[in-house]
Amino acid sequence: MENKSAWLLIAIGASLWGVIGVFVTYLYEVGFTPLEVVAVRVLTASIFMVPYVLMKNRKLFKIKVKDSRYFIGTGIISIVLFNWCLFSSMKESSISVAFILLYTAPAFVTILSRIFFKEALTTRKLTALLITLVGCSLVIGIFSNSTASISLYGLILGLGSGFFYALYSIFGKAALSKYDSLTVTVYTFLFATVAIVPFSGLGAKITLLMDVKVLGLVIGLGFLSTMLPFIFYTKGLQYVESSRASIIATIEPVVASVVGFFIFNETLSTWQYVGMVMVISSVIIVQESKKQKANRPQQFDQAGV
């Protein structure tokens, strides 16, 4: 596959992650809570992913019981809390702001990698952190009017989504040292499903889930914005460097902002748009060159929501 085709697959995958706000917002409108939407997403994703992995290679399901701790980290501590923060942030602020704050994750990864893996804080990383900080200050409306700014709770939720998503890299790095990426992904969603579905209150929504419109939203959330982009992104990664893929994936918050504007009439102030560009730029800046990357141990790379 030529690089251009691989780049297209990655861009499509990131774009599909970017439209997740459509399904989440409409599920809110029919009566679902953020916790229930998280439960719906991980459950539906598991239903789609298990058959997919079985068809690819059923041996990928083989893991050691003691290694369950990795998937408690990726599935429960990261994915459940990350999704809850992200979806709650969308409800508290807007799709655009929620996704921009989500992209603080690389900054958190840089800090956490320094703490846990003793990775050096290079000039490039420090510059990216500073730009992220300034960009986020603009996004939260520090120079905007009161209607454009977001609440402290919304800010905490947005940064929380970035932080817990960053933890996926930390736990995932340990898991990927022993298992295939498909194994890590499918068990992440399975552990998340077991942890949240029984306590989500989703059972009370069974009748609602039988509605054709709601079922369509659920399938859209679990397949179109979770399973399908994962396949596209993973396929593209086979032919494109992960650092370049991460840069291409910055189309995700852009798509989310476009969706918020055209479908839900969300608008940002000029300063907030400047902040969005700065946050996205920091993601690009923090990426290491091929030579730099070759000189350090392989790390787990983030890929979309």
Side-chain angles (χ1 to χ4, degrees):
M1 180 183 292
E2 296 181 357
N3 277 352
K4 289 184 178 180
S5 297
W7 292 345
L8 181 60
L9 286 176
I10 291 170
I12 292 174
S15 297
L16 289 174
W17 275 314
V19 301
I20 194 172
V22 175
F23 306 113
V24 173
T25 301
Y26 283 133
L27 284 172
Y28 285 160
E29 290 184 359
V30 297
F32 284 81
T33 66
L35 191 64
E36 290 169 343
V37 175
V38 175
V40 165
R41 187 186 192 193
V42 296
L43 174 60
T44 310
S46 295
I47 291 173
F48 283 119
M49 294 189 77
V50 169
Y52 176 73
V53 176
L54 283 173
M55 288 188 293
K56 291 284 289 185
N57 184 357
R58 60 179 63 245
K59 291 182 180 179
L60 293 175
F61 279 101
K62 186 177 180 180
I63 64 170
K64 295 180 180 179
V65 175
K66 67 177 183 179
D67 290 336
S68 295
R69 63 184 187 275
Y70 298 137
F71 308 115
I72 290 174
T74 59
I76 302 174
I77 299 176
S78 178
I79 290 297
V80 168
L81 293 176
F82 141 61
N83 276 277
W84 180 80
C85 284
L86 176 63
F87 296 163
S88 297
S89 180
M90 288 181 193
K91 192 170 187 178
E92 181 69 18
S93 54
S94 68
I95 296 173
S96 304
V97 171
F99 269 84
I100 296 167
L101 292 177
L102 170 65
Y103 262 66
T104 59
F108 283 117
V109 170
T110 298
I111 297 171
L112 293 171
S113 294
R114 172 61 180 172
I115 296 172
F116 292 103
F117 306 125
K118 309 303 179 184
E119 292 186 4
L121 284 176
T122 63
T123 301
R124 177 182 294 201
K125 290 179 180 179
L126 289 172
T127 300
L129 284 172
L130 178 60
I131 293 175
T132 299
L133 179 62
V134 175
C136 284
S137 297
L138 297 176
V139 168
I140 65 176
I142 194 170
F143 295 131
S144 305
N145 57 50
S146 58
T147 59
S149 59
I150 65 173
S151 66
L152 176 61
Y153 182 55
L155 172 62
I156 292 173
L157 288 171
L159 294 178
S161 69
F163 174 74
F164 287 115
Y165 187 52
L167 286 180
Y168 192 68
S169 287
I170 305 303
F171 294 119
K173 180 179 180 180
L176 285 171
S177 67
K178 293 187 175 184
Y179 299 105
D180 184 88
S181 61
L182 271 178
T183 300
V184 174
T185 303
V186 72
Y187 273 107
T188 291
F189 279 102
L190 286 173
F191 271 69
T193 298
V194 171
I196 192 173
V197 171
F199 310 102
S200 65
L202 199 58
K205 294 291 195 299
I206 294 296
T207 303
L208 192 57
L209 286 168
M210 295 298 103
D211 182 89
V212 176
K213 177 184 176 182
V214 175
L215 190 58
L217 293 172
V218 169
I219 293 175
L221 179 64
F223 181 73
L224 191 63
S225 280
T226 304
M227 178 63 180
L228 204 56
F230 165 75
I231 295 174
F232 286 158
Y233 195 96
T234 304
K235 185 68 175 177
L237 276 178
Q238 293 179 6
Y239 307 95
V240 177
E241 292 177 13
S242 56
S243 60
R244 292 182 182 274
S246 296
I247 293 172
I248 298 170
T250 56
I251 193 176
E252 182 183 347
V254 176
V255 170
S257 294
V258 171
V259 166
F261 178 79
F262 284 104
I263 298 181
F264 302 109
N265 298 314
E266 295 178 356
T267 58
L268 298 176
S269 69
T270 301
W271 282 113
Q272 286 178 307
Y273 280 117
V274 171
M276 179 178 75
V277 172
M278 292 184 73
V279 171
I280 294 174
S281 297
S282 71
V283 177
I284 297 173
I285 291 172
V286 81
Q287 301 305 321
E288 295 173 296
S289 67
K290 187 176 182 180
K291 182 177 179 180
Q292 289 174 311
K293 202 162 189 176
N295 291 331
R296 68 170 175 80
Q298 184 179 1
Q299 268 193 277
F300 180 79
D301 292 287
Q302 297 187 119
V305 301

